[in-house]
Amino acid sequence: MTAPIETTGAAAEAQPEAVLAGAEKGQIEGRSLGQIAWTRFKRDRVAVAGGVIVILLILLAVLSRPIQAMLGLDPNAFHQDLIDADTSLPKGGWGGMSGSHLLGVDPKFGRDIATRILEGSWVSLVVAFGATILSNVIGAVMGVVAGYYGGRVDSIISRLMDTFLAFPLLLFAIAISATLQGGAFGLNGLPLHLSVLIFVIGFFNWPYLGRIVRGQTLALREREFVDAARGMGAKGPYILFRELMPNLVGPIIVYSTLLIPTNILFEASLSFLGVGIQPPQASWGGMLREAVTYYQVDPEYMIVPGLAIFITVLAFNLLGDGLRDALDPRSR
């Protein structure tokens, strides 16, 4: 009789993660794909740190108005007593930092920068999340339809994607935003600006996700579970949304976490150019635009909103990279 072979450390590491987890408990327990992905994600400390920062940013954005009300803060309150009348600059060093104004005040008006950063956070995230959801809905539907049906349907949708990708998006967004500044569709002011930004950014970015979903669908439509659904008499819409779409959730989530920071930068760019969020509403891009005049004499006013954008975009990118590796280890 052949003696049992002991498993070495290297061999144990080569075993599937589900077997290892079961071996530690003295029995083998199966784990879902979601549990395995979560285990991989937790091992990536950088991605976990990015996720924690993202959660904190979202909480701050959601609770920004209640926090302001609770602390009696007003992002548009002037503090002229903190401004030097001769230079229009904050009194004191570091942009007027003090116990009452931890990040200082802005030149000319003396508005609290920390409060305006907090107020601008929800604006950036509302635009970024809204545009991402719009892009995902259009891109996922168009991509799965093109990939599943193929033929003429695929050709028409693919040419439509190429057409949208050929648009000079930044110039087009500037033109639309500038045209609709006065009022449109029964909206005006901040609701109008938010709606226009979400539509422009989201509607013209869907082809990127559409191509990803189309490529994944081309591979999935030949799988056994799709053939089984067809054999049982399932129609096209059922297969699209009950069989294929659940298997595309992973790529869509990963792409979303990478698209959100892009949309944050896009909104900040439009606000910086003066065709996005309009004053007196605080926005990170608008604060950078105002800081251009004072960056040589008051650099702190430009550094703070710049850091807010940098940290937010970096956190989302780290989270997206971690989710990509967790959901698809072969992408490493």
Side-chain angles (χ1 to χ4, degrees), residues 228-297:
R230 291 197 197 99
M232 296 177 63
K235 302 298 182 182
Y238 179 88
I239 296 176
L240 289 178
F241 297 104
R242 297 296 298 273
E243 300 292 340
L244 292 175
M245 197 64 77
N247 289 278
L248 296 170
V249 171
I252 292 174
I253 291 176
V254 172
Y255 180 76
S256 298
T257 56
L258 297 175
L259 181 60
I260 288 173
T262 303
N263 291 341
I264 291 175
L265 289 174
F266 205 116
E267 181 274 326
S269 300
L270 292 177
S271 297
F272 180 82
L273 294 172
V275 294
I277 303 300
Q278 298 298 304
Q281 174 61 45
S283 68
W284 293 346
M287 294 177 69
L288 285 176
R289 183 182 72 249
E290 296 171 357
V292 169
T293 308
Y294 301 97
Y295 77 94
Q296 290 184 326
V297 292

